[in-house]
Amino acid sequence: MFDSRILTSAAMLAIFAGMSAAALAFPPKAQFMPLLVGVPGTLLALAQFVSDLRQRPARVEPTPEQVDERRREIGMFAWLSLFAAGILGFGFLYAAPLLVFAFLRFGQKESWVVAAIGGVGAWAILYGMFELMLGLILFEGLLVGML
Amino acid sequence: MDLMLSSFLTVVTSPSLMGLMLLAVPIGLFFGAIPGLGGKLGVVLLIPFVFGMEPIAGAVFLLAMHAVVHTGGSIPSILFGVPGTGPDAATIVDGFPMAKRGEAGRALGASLGASGVGGVIGAIFLAAMLPILRPVVLAFSPAEFFLLALFGITFIATLSGASLRKGLLVGMFGLMLSFVALDPHTGTQRYTHDMLFLWDGVDVITAVLGLFAIPEMIGLGAKGGSIAQTTTVARYSIAQVLDGIVDVFRHFGLTLRTSVIGAVIGMIPGLGGDAASWICYGHAVQSSKTPERFGQGAVEGVIAPETANNSKEGGSLLPTLFFGVPGSSGMAILLGAFIMLGIKPGPAMALTGMETVWILIWTLCVSNLLAVVVFLAMAPAFGMLVYVRGALIIPFVVTLSFLGAFLSHGAWENIVLLCVLGVFGVFLRKHRWPRPPFIIGLVLGPIAEDSLHKAMGIWGPTFFLRPQSLAMIALIVGSIGYYFWRRKRQAAIEVQYDV
């Protein structure tokens, strides 16, 4: 089946083709540049996609190191999703320190002390530096905002 | 002359500007010294800290940090044989062998002295070019600006990886994203889908954080372990470091030549630090009476790339400030930050922004000199870098990335955009799609579109037949031709080795 290399060039092709098609609905002056870039971009992306399809490497069993790396990569994606959901839901001041702590303690197996210092440090930077010193208003979170 | 002196006094007599530079320099050294971070990430992560600052103060802070990144980048190159940033790879060739034979301090000193002198000469070069550049900038018409934007994208695409097609596609992807906004000529919504946060366009800071910071952090987390991936570190003394600084003056002719070469290379959009450091390293080998010492730990092999790394910053500020065409991907991010701060690079800078230009020139000089002092003060601690683990850096970089994306427009939707682009960036990184052309495309998109419409309005579709335009087209064709020639030569060398 498709590997991520082919999916990347397929995504690029879809972006160019989709944006070029959407540009056709714009008035002539507004569609000029998107089509000027989008049409050759679609053709180039198609060439890249075909080239990637034709040069599919032979399937080899991954080494234990590669399996480990892939597992860690999936863990990083999961943590990034959690971080985004946390920040969007509960804002920087509540979610970021907790997630930094959780990442260090449970994701990276750091000691409780290091993880706690990380979490408190994140809160100190966000609240102390950005809110108090720089006077910036940080995102409070969609769920917190609704309460 | 008055402006030059008054700007100098503004910089050195302002406690706030000097304080900001003193703060920015160690941060820049740190970002350079940690492999995988680098100047681009440094600028984007510091952007949240400059919100609310005066434009000049913010620009001075970011430029001072960016100017000394390569000074810090030489530390892991010499001590661990791991380049802090891409352009510091050339320093390993002789710096690491020097460290292995017990001359780590001398190599560090040479790199420090060379970086300091190179940075100052780069700034002087920029200042010397101002009288020549001003009439050139003012003579440029919209047609040339459009072609210059195309040249910038093409050139960086040809130089940023093995595949020209991938480089061009990423550059064009940046251009396409730059069209997401209200069309400036008709007011039509383009790709905004009624989302208010996209009416002003895709935020450059968010896009850069997504395509650079997030993939690097995912990569760092997936790799695991310490960043330097070594457990041994060379020992050195301050006396050795000072001896290395003196070496720069023992080889002052080389220092001077490579500084000027670096500044000239920096001026050409897209060539960047890798080209500057390797070309200058090559020059040091060719001009040496004993070229056989290179690769074994010749101090000139440290001096040449390090002067070029820092002097190129002065050169690359030229197209960035006066044409709005960034000289490198780092400068593209800095350009985005300047615009966000309210400083508008472009031809108008030659008429109304000369005081800002002079302040930035002095910032380059002062920050490079400050870096020498800070470097010497921190020298005993550099060995600690070996223990810096990715796990401790990742959550903070990600937090600052999210914060930067949110603060740049005060829109939470940018956090979602950051994640989408971040995931796409991970796959681009994994499958070796060069990412620098994306920033150039995104930054140059509005300039290219506006200039094209103006050129079409003034001269019609034949605007590219003007002599200046033909010269620019020749440059674009030449850069593509150069790419194919280089590929052919590389292939020939590979065949030779196979035989």
Side-chain angles (χ1 to χ4, degrees), chain B residues 24-81:
Chain B
V25 164
I27 297 173
L29 290 176
F30 175 78
F31 272 97
I34 302 293
L37 293 186
K40 282 193 279 278
L41 213 54
V43 174
V44 285
L45 292 178
L46 286 189
I47 282 172
F49 295 90
V50 301
F51 284 107
M53 272 191 201
E54 288 288 313
I56 291 292
V60 164
F61 181 63
L62 293 178
L63 182 64
M65 192 286 296
H66 191 260
V68 301
V69 161
H70 296 298
T71 309
S74 64
I75 300 165
S77 301
I78 291 166
L79 294 185
F80 322 130

Coordinates of all heavy atoms in Angstrom, one line a residue, chain B residues 24-81:
Chain B
A24 N 20.2 39.3 24.5 CA 20.0 38.5 23.3 C 21.3 37.7 22.9 O 21.1 36.6 22.4 CB 19.7 39.5 22.1
V25 N 22.4 38.2 23.2 CA 23.7 37.5 22.8 C 23.8 36.1 23.4 O 24.0 35.2 22.7 CB 24.9 38.5 23.1 CG1 26.2 37.7 23.0 CG2 24.9 39.6 22.0
P26 N 23.7 36.0 24.8 CA 23.8 34.6 25.3 C 22.7 33.7 24.8 O 22.9 32.5 24.6 CB 23.7 34.8 26.8 CG 23.5 36.2 27.1 CD 23.6 37.0 25.8
I27 N 21.5 34.3 24.6 CA 20.4 33.4 24.0 C 20.8 32.9 22.6 O 20.7 31.8 22.3 CB 19.1 34.2 24.0 CG1 18.7 34.6 25.4 CG2 18.0 33.4 23.3 CD1 17.4 35.5 25.5
G28 N 21.4 33.8 21.8 CA 21.8 33.5 20.4 C 22.9 32.4 20.5 O 22.9 31.5 19.7
L29 N 23.9 32.6 21.4 CA 24.9 31.6 21.5 C 24.4 30.2 21.9 O 24.8 29.2 21.4 CB 25.9 32.1 22.6 CG 26.8 33.3 22.3 CD1 27.7 33.6 23.5 CD2 27.7 33.0 21.1
F30 N 23.4 30.3 22.8 CA 22.7 29.0 23.3 C 22.0 28.3 22.1 O 22.2 27.1 21.9 CB 21.8 29.3 24.4 CG 21.0 28.1 24.8 CD1 21.6 27.1 25.7 CD2 19.7 27.9 24.4 CE1 20.8 26.0 26.1 CE2 18.9 26.8 24.8 CZ 19.5 25.8 25.7
F31 N 21.2 29.1 21.4 CA 20.5 28.5 20.2 C 21.5 27.9 19.2 O 21.2 27.0 18.5 CB 19.5 29.5 19.6 CG 18.2 29.5 20.3 CD1 17.9 30.5 21.2 CD2 17.2 28.6 19.9 CE1 16.7 30.5 21.9 CE2 16.0 28.6 20.6 CZ 15.7 29.5 21.5
G32 N 22.6 28.6 19.0 CA 23.6 28.1 18.0 C 24.3 26.9 18.6 O 24.6 26.0 17.8
A33 N 24.5 26.8 19.9 CA 25.3 25.8 20.4 C 24.5 24.5 20.6 O 25.1 23.4 20.7 CB 25.9 26.2 21.8
I34 N 23.2 24.5 20.6 CA 22.4 23.3 20.7 C 22.1 22.8 19.3 O 21.3 23.4 18.6 CB 21.1 23.6 21.5 CG1 21.5 24.1 22.9 CG2 20.3 22.3 21.7 CD1 22.2 23.2 23.8
P35 N 22.7 21.7 18.9 CA 22.3 21.2 17.6 C 20.8 20.9 17.4 O 20.2 20.4 18.3 CB 23.1 19.8 17.5 CG 24.2 20.0 18.5 CD 23.6 20.8 19.6
G36 N 20.3 21.4 16.3 CA 18.9 21.2 16.0 C 18.0 22.4 16.4 O 16.9 22.5 15.9
L37 N 18.6 23.4 17.1 CA 17.8 24.6 17.4 C 18.1 25.6 16.3 O 17.4 25.7 15.4 CB 18.1 25.1 18.8 CG 17.6 24.2 20.0 CD1 17.9 24.9 21.3 CD2 16.2 23.9 19.9
G38 N 19.2 26.3 16.4 CA 19.6 27.2 15.3 C 18.9 28.6 15.4 O 18.0 28.8 16.2
G39 N 19.3 29.4 14.4 CA 18.9 30.8 14.4 C 17.4 31.0 14.0 O 16.7 31.9 14.6
K40 N 17.0 30.2 13.1 CA 15.6 30.3 12.6 C 14.6 30.1 13.7 O 13.7 30.9 14.0 CB 15.3 29.3 11.5 CG 15.9 29.7 10.1 CD 15.3 28.8 9.0 CE 16.0 27.5 8.9 NZ 17.2 27.4 8.2
L41 N 14.9 29.0 14.4 CA 14.0 28.6 15.5 C 14.2 29.7 16.7 O 13.2 30.0 17.3 CB 14.4 27.3 16.1 CG 13.4 26.4 16.6 CD1 12.2 26.2 15.6 CD2 13.9 25.0 17.0
G42 N 15.4 30.2 16.8 CA 15.6 31.2 17.9 C 14.8 32.4 17.7 O 14.1 32.9 18.6
V43 N 14.8 32.9 16.4 CA 14.0 34.1 16.1 C 12.5 33.9 16.4 O 11.8 34.6 17.0 CB 14.2 34.6 14.7 CG1 13.3 35.8 14.3 CG2 15.7 35.0 14.5
V44 N 12.0 32.7 15.8 CA 10.5 32.5 16.0 C 10.1 32.3 17.4 O 9.1 32.7 17.8 CB 10.0 31.4 15.1 CG1 9.9 31.8 13.7 CG2 10.8 30.1 15.2
L45 N 11.0 31.7 18.2 CA 10.7 31.5 19.6 C 10.8 32.7 20.4 O 10.1 32.9 21.5 CB 11.5 30.3 20.2 CG 11.3 29.0 19.6 CD1 12.2 27.9 20.3 CD2 9.8 28.5 19.9
L46 N 11.6 33.7 20.0 CA 11.8 34.9 20.7 C 10.7 35.9 20.3 O 10.5 36.9 21.0 CB 13.1 35.5 20.5 CG 14.3 34.8 21.2 CD1 15.6 35.6 21.1 CD2 14.0 34.6 22.7
I47 N 10.0 35.7 19.2 CA 9.0 36.7 18.8 C 7.9 37.0 19.9 O 7.6 38.1 20.1 CB 8.4 36.2 17.4 CG1 9.4 36.5 16.3 CG2 7.0 36.9 17.2 CD1 9.0 36.0 15.0
P48 N 7.4 36.0 20.6 CA 6.4 36.3 21.7 C 7.0 37.3 22.7 O 6.2 38.1 23.2 CB 6.2 35.0 22.4 CG 6.5 33.9 21.4 CD 7.6 34.5 20.5
F49 N 8.3 37.3 22.9 CA 8.9 38.2 23.9 C 9.0 39.7 23.4 O 9.2 40.6 24.1 CB 10.3 37.8 24.3 CG 10.3 36.4 25.0 CD1 10.4 35.3 24.2 CD2 10.2 36.4 26.3 CE1 10.4 34.0 24.9 CE2 10.2 35.1 27.0 CZ 10.3 34.0 26.3
V50 N 8.8 39.9 22.1 CA 9.0 41.3 21.6 C 7.6 42.0 21.3 O 7.6 43.1 20.9 CB 9.8 41.4 20.3 CG1 11.2 40.9 20.5 CG2 9.2 40.7 19.1
F51 N 6.5 41.2 21.6 CA 5.2 41.9 21.5 C 5.1 43.0 22.5 O 5.5 42.8 23.6 CB 4.1 40.9 21.7 CG 3.8 39.9 20.6 CD1 4.2 38.6 20.7 CD2 3.3 40.4 19.4 CE1 4.0 37.7 19.6 CE2 3.1 39.5 18.4 CZ 3.5 38.2 18.4
G52 N 4.7 44.1 22.0 CA 4.5 45.3 22.9 C 5.8 46.1 23.0 O 5.8 47.2 23.6
M53 N 6.9 45.6 22.4 CA 8.2 46.4 22.5 C 8.1 47.5 21.4 O 7.4 47.4 20.4 CB 9.4 45.5 22.1 CG 10.0 44.9 23.3 SD 11.6 44.1 22.8 CE 11.8 42.9 24.1
E54 N 8.9 48.5 21.6 CA 9.1 49.5 20.5 C 9.7 48.8 19.3 O 10.5 47.9 19.5 CB 10.1 50.6 21.0 CG 9.6 51.5 22.0 CD 8.6 52.5 21.5 OE1 8.8 53.1 20.4 OE2 7.5 52.7 22.1
P55 N 9.3 49.2 18.0 CA 9.8 48.5 16.9 C 11.3 48.4 16.8 O 11.9 47.3 16.6 CB 9.3 49.4 15.7 CG 8.1 50.1 16.2 CD 8.3 50.3 17.7
I56 N 12.0 49.5 17.1 CA 13.5 49.4 17.1 C 14.0 48.5 18.1 O 14.9 47.7 17.9 CB 14.1 50.9 17.3 CG1 13.8 51.7 16.0 CG2 15.6 50.8 17.5 CD1 14.5 51.3 14.8
A57 N 13.5 48.6 19.3 CA 14.0 47.7 20.4 C 13.8 46.2 20.1 O 14.7 45.4 20.2 CB 13.2 48.1 21.7
G58 N 12.6 45.9 19.5 CA 12.3 44.5 19.2 C 13.3 44.1 18.1 O 13.8 42.9 18.1
A59 N 13.5 44.9 17.1 CA 14.3 44.6 15.9 C 15.8 44.4 16.4 O 16.5 43.4 16.0 CB 14.3 45.6 14.8
V60 N 16.2 45.2 17.3 CA 17.6 45.1 17.8 C 17.8 43.8 18.6 O 18.8 43.1 18.4 CB 17.9 46.4 18.7 CG1 19.1 46.1 19.6 CG2 18.1 47.6 17.9
F61 N 16.8 43.5 19.4 CA 16.8 42.3 20.2 C 16.9 41.0 19.3 O 17.8 40.2 19.5 CB 15.6 42.2 21.1 CG 15.5 41.0 22.0 CD1 16.4 40.8 23.0 CD2 14.4 40.1 21.8 CE1 16.3 39.7 23.8 CE2 14.3 39.0 22.6 CZ 15.3 38.8 23.6
L62 N 16.1 41.0 18.3 CA 16.0 39.8 17.4 C 17.3 39.7 16.5 O 17.9 38.6 16.4 CB 14.8 39.8 16.5 CG 13.4 39.6 17.3 CD1 12.3 39.7 16.3 CD2 13.4 38.3 18.0
L63 N 17.7 40.9 16.0 CA 18.9 40.8 15.1 C 20.2 40.5 15.9 O 21.0 39.7 15.5 CB 19.1 42.2 14.4 CG 20.2 42.3 13.5 CD1 20.1 41.3 12.3 CD2 20.4 43.7 12.9
A64 N 20.3 41.0 17.2 CA 21.4 40.7 18.0 C 21.5 39.2 18.3 O 22.6 38.6 18.2 CB 21.4 41.5 19.3
M65 N 20.3 38.6 18.5 CA 20.3 37.2 18.8 C 20.7 36.4 17.5 O 21.6 35.5 17.6 CB 18.9 36.8 19.2 CG 18.7 35.4 19.8 SD 18.8 34.1 18.7 CE 17.4 34.4 17.6
H66 N 20.1 36.8 16.4 CA 20.4 36.1 15.2 C 21.8 36.2 14.7 O 22.4 35.3 14.1 CB 19.4 36.6 14.1 CG 19.4 35.8 12.8 ND1 20.1 36.1 11.7 CD2 18.7 34.6 12.6 CE1 19.9 35.2 10.8 NE2 19.1 34.3 11.3
A67 N 22.4 37.4 15.0 CA 23.8 37.7 14.4 C 24.8 36.8 15.1 O 25.9 36.6 14.4 CB 24.1 39.2 14.7
V68 N 24.6 36.3 16.3 CA 25.7 35.6 17.0 C 25.4 34.1 17.0 O 26.1 33.3 17.7 CB 25.9 36.1 18.4 CG1 26.3 37.6 18.3 CG2 24.7 36.0 19.3
V69 N 24.4 33.6 16.4 CA 24.0 32.2 16.4 C 25.2 31.3 16.0 O 25.5 30.3 16.6 CB 22.7 31.9 15.6 CG1 22.6 30.4 15.2 CG2 21.5 32.3 16.3
H70 N 25.8 31.7 14.9 CA 26.9 30.9 14.3 C 28.2 30.9 15.2 O 29.0 30.0 15.2 CB 27.2 31.3 12.9 CG 26.1 31.0 12.0 ND1 25.6 29.8 11.8 CD2 25.3 31.8 11.2 CE1 24.6 29.8 11.0 NE2 24.4 31.1 10.6
T71 N 28.3 32.0 16.0 CA 29.4 32.0 17.0 C 29.2 30.9 18.0 O 30.2 30.2 18.3 CB 29.4 33.4 17.7 OG1 29.3 34.4 16.8 CG2 30.6 33.5 18.6
G72 N 28.0 30.7 18.4 CA 27.7 29.6 19.3 C 27.7 28.2 18.6 O 28.1 27.2 19.2
G73 N 27.4 28.2 17.3 CA 27.3 27.0 16.6 C 28.6 26.3 16.4 O 28.7 25.1 16.2
S74 N 29.7 27.0 16.5 CA 31.1 26.4 16.4 C 31.4 25.6 17.6 O 32.3 24.7 17.5 CB 32.1 27.5 16.2 OG 32.2 28.3 17.3
I75 N 30.8 25.8 18.7 CA 31.2 25.1 20.0 C 31.0 23.6 19.9 O 31.9 22.8 20.0 CB 30.4 25.7 21.2 CG1 30.7 27.2 21.4 CG2 30.7 24.9 22.5 CD1 29.7 27.9 22.3
P76 N 29.7 23.1 19.5 CA 29.6 21.6 19.4 C 30.4 21.1 18.2 O 30.8 19.9 18.3 CB 28.1 21.4 19.2 CG 27.6 22.7 18.8 CD 28.4 23.8 19.3
S77 N 30.6 21.9 17.2 CA 31.4 21.5 16.0 C 32.8 21.1 16.5 O 33.4 20.1 16.1 CB 31.5 22.5 14.9 OG 30.2 22.9 14.5
I78 N 33.4 22.0 17.3 CA 34.8 21.8 17.7 C 34.8 20.7 18.9 O 35.7 19.8 18.8 CB 35.4 23.1 18.2 CG1 35.5 24.0 17.0 CG2 36.7 22.9 18.9 CD1 35.8 25.5 17.3
L79 N 34.0 20.9 19.8 CA 34.1 20.0 21.0 C 33.6 18.6 20.8 O 34.1 17.6 21.3 CB 33.3 20.6 22.2 CG 33.9 21.9 22.8 CD1 33.1 22.3 24.0 CD2 35.4 21.8 23.1
F80 N 32.5 18.4 20.0 CA 31.9 17.1 19.9 C 31.9 16.6 18.5 O 31.5 15.4 18.2 CB 30.4 17.1 20.3 CG 30.1 17.9 21.6 CD1 29.0 18.8 21.6 CD2 30.9 17.8 22.7 CE1 28.8 19.6 22.7 CE2 30.6 18.6 23.8 CZ 29.5 19.5 23.8
G81 N 32.3 17.4 17.5 CA 32.2 17.0 16.1 C 30.8 17.0 15.6 O 30.5 16.2 14.6

